[in-house]
Amino acid sequence: GELALALAAQLAPLRPRLALLHRRTLPPTDRWDTVLAEHPRGEDARVIGELRALRAAGVEAHPFTADVTDPDAVSAALEEAHERLGPLDGVLHLAGVAGGGLLQHRTRERADAVLAPKIAGTLALAEALRRRPVPLLALFSSAVTAVGGFGETDYAAANAFLDAFALAHDGTGAIADRVVSVAWGPWRRDRWQTEALADAPELRARMLRYRARSGISDAAGLDALTRVVAAGPPHVYALGDTLDGLTAQATGTGPEVEAAAGGVPAERRRPRPPLRTPYLAPRDDTERHIAEVWQDQLGVDRVGVHDPFFELGGTSLVGLSVVAHLSSHFGIEFAPANLFERPTVARFAELVRDPDDHTPEPGTTRAARRGERRRAVAARRRR
Ligand SMILES: NC(=O)c1ccc[n+]([C@@H]2O[C@H](COP(=O)([O-])OP(=O)(O)OC[C@H]3O[C@@H](n4cnc5c(N)ncnc54)[C@H](OP(=O)(O)O)[C@@H]3O)[C@@H](O)[C@H]2O)c1
């Protein structure tokens, strides 16, 4: 992946021998020129180009194929690497799949895809390494385990597993003399974020600005890794920022943090960002009140009735606050899921006008709940 290649390039002056594990089977070397000529924009061409660039820079880069979640494939790849390159000095586990998406919308399959390379992948590596222990196993975890983040539930859980694994295995020598889990803050490289936040352009733009300002550079990343590996506890946070700065970024910057505490004053609101939807002003009191709560909680100067909540910079944290305000004003017990299902003022207003027009769980009206309770009591009496 991106960081693995960047670190390999950083190591070039040491002329290292690297076994690069990838789940893609590359064409044999004697076909590389043909592949580059025939499909220059294909994924194979991209990987071949990266390998050639590394080799030209002095890295002895050997590609191996295995899905890291497949214990047999990982064992076979490690054995082959051992045979061809000699004993390994260490294994860096960087395989990962970006999470991204509100828990309410995550399917089991999508969450499993995020968990697999970190959990099943680490266990498969451990199984293979038990037969051939190495001096070092370094796991690439993420600081989301400490600071949270937008739609990161499965990703945070996957990385928390790495941290726990390192704490449990370091010093046992069963698979490696040292097992470290480095929980990285955002790197300057941004492919990860670009993919994970494809549905939230405003948030993504803010995250990219943050990465450009406070992200970890390739050189700083290698420096941190070298120091962590040389000495230090099995679980380390490596950030390009202070923990407070990263926390503010992850949970929502300035205005959103204030929002949780009760709204952003009108003079400090930012202009409505450019959106795919043209601005359309609220058309009745219901829409007007919902838009005002959003403006107040999101710190945006005006909200159109078709503006998507998450494109305005909304996060699940702010969503909780919005829902609490709207529940109290309209006397209806809304659930956060209602906002995720109806993420515009116009769509939410429909729910206010007809509260029964939504999934009964988790957001039910008090009246509906009372009705349900009455029916349940009557049924018990009849029995
Ligand atoms: N970039 C950051 O800012 C950042 C911050 C904190 C932590 N990290 C961690 O650092 C690691 C590397 O990140 P990155 O930015 O380099 O991401 P990346 O470019 O997406 O690389 C991840 C790589 O893992 C591979 N992979 C996923 N599942 C696999 C599997 N089952 N078997 C084999 N390979 C698999 C992917 O292969 P495919 O191309 O086939 O999908 C991809 O090449 C990740 O574990 C991430 O959690 C990154």
Side-chain angles (χ1 to χ4, degrees):
E2 201 176 23
L3 296 194
L5 290 167
L7 286 171
Q10 287 290 313
L11 287 169
L14 302 176
R15 311 191 78 73
R17 309 173 86 192
L18 299 180
L20 298 173
L21 199 77
H22 197 227
R23 56 180 160 176
R24 189 174 192 85
T25 309
L26 283 182
T29 326
D30 58 4
R31 289 226 346 108
W32 284 12
D33 286 330
T34 320
V35 171
L36 286 174
E38 287 176 357
H39 307 286
R41 292 179 187 283
E43 184 59 12
D44 280 347
R46 186 186 68 79
V47 179
I48 292 170
E50 303 268 19
L51 286 173
R52 284 192 163 165
L54 282 177
R55 288 176 180 175
V59 178
E60 208 186 290
H62 299 267
F64 290 86
T65 305
D67 185 312
V68 75
T69 62
D70 177 347
D72 293 340
V74 173
S75 282
L78 281 188
E79 279 306 314
E80 198 189 333
H82 190 271
E83 261 167 42
R84 280 170 50 193
L85 308 179
L88 300 180
D89 292 325
V91 172
L92 308 185
H93 177 24
L94 291 98
V97 169
L102 298 163
L103 190 55
Q104 285 85 344
H105 294 280
R106 301 294 283 167
T107 59
R108 171 100 204 193
E109 288 70 30
R110 288 179 71 188
D112 280 347
V114 176
L115 296 172
K118 304 259 179 182
I119 300 181
T122 304
L123 295 176
L125 268 175
E127 198 178 313
L129 289 173
R130 216 158 259 130
R131 283 189 285 278
R132 283 204 185 276
V134 286
L136 168 76
L137 171 63
L139 308 171
F140 275 52
S141 171
S142 163
V144 297
T145 54
V147 301
F150 172 83
E152 302 272 24
T153 315
D154 42 18
Y155 184 64
N159 285 294
F161 178 84
L162 299 183
D163 302 343
F165 185 92
L167 288 166
H169 285 79
D170 190 41
T172 64
I175 54 177
D177 299 338
R178 290 218 52 211
V179 182
V180 291
S181 180
V182 187
W184 299 100
W187 283 53
R188 230 168 252 176
R189 292 176 173 272
D190 55 18
R191 189 178 84 167
W192 193 261
Q193 209 70 51
T194 312
E195 284 171 12
L197 293 176
D199 297 336
E202 166 74 5
L203 190 66
R204 193 181 77 183
R206 205 175 62 204
M207 194 63 202
L208 294 183
R209 283 196 297 276
Y210 177 80
R211 279 178 184 258
R213 192 177 68 243
S214 304
I216 300 166
S217 67
D218 296 350
L222 179 63
D223 179 53
L225 185 64
T226 311
R227 285 189 284 141
V228 168
V229 162
H235 177 217
V236 175
Y237 287 94
L239 314 176
D241 193 0
T242 61
L243 193 57
D244 282 349
L246 183 58
T247 306
Q249 167 63 26
T251 52
T253 45
E256 281 148 303
V257 175
E258 288 173 51
V264 181
E267 67 280 4
R268 300 211 14 228
R269 291 182 193 167
R270 63 200 156 87
R272 173 183 180 270
L275 298 175
R276 285 173 294 159
T277 46
Y279 174 78
L280 182 65
R283 296 158 293 190
D284 60 22
D285 284 348
T286 303
E287 290 188 346
R288 234 179 320 277
H289 184 78
I290 299 171
E292 274 164 18
V293 169
W294 283 31
Q295 283 160 203
D296 189 43
Q297 298 297 307
L298 289 166
V300 176
D301 62 355
R302 59 178 192 155
V303 169
V305 296
H306 298 310
D307 295 354
F309 180 72
F310 296 102
E311 291 186 23
L312 287 167
T315 62
S316 34
L317 180 74
V318 180
L320 292 179
S321 182
V322 164
V323 166
H325 279 84
L326 295 176
S327 296
S328 129
H329 177 83
F330 291 111
I332 299 171
E333 211 171 300
F334 297 116
N338 296 142
L339 181 61
F340 306 135
E341 285 154 9
R342 297 167 173 272
T344 65
V345 168
R347 298 269 292 120
F348 204 92
E350 289 165 9
L351 188 58
V352 175
R353 290 186 206 106
D354 182 5
D356 291 327
D357 175 29
H358 70 114
T359 356
E361 283 299 330
T364 46
T365 61
R366 289 188 181 121
R369 282 193 187 159
R370 269 201 305 276
E372 258 169 38
R373 272 200 298 275
R374 270 200 302 273
R375 280 193 293 280
V377 170
R380 265 206 304 277
R381 280 199 189 125
R382 278 201 299 280
R383 276 204 299 276

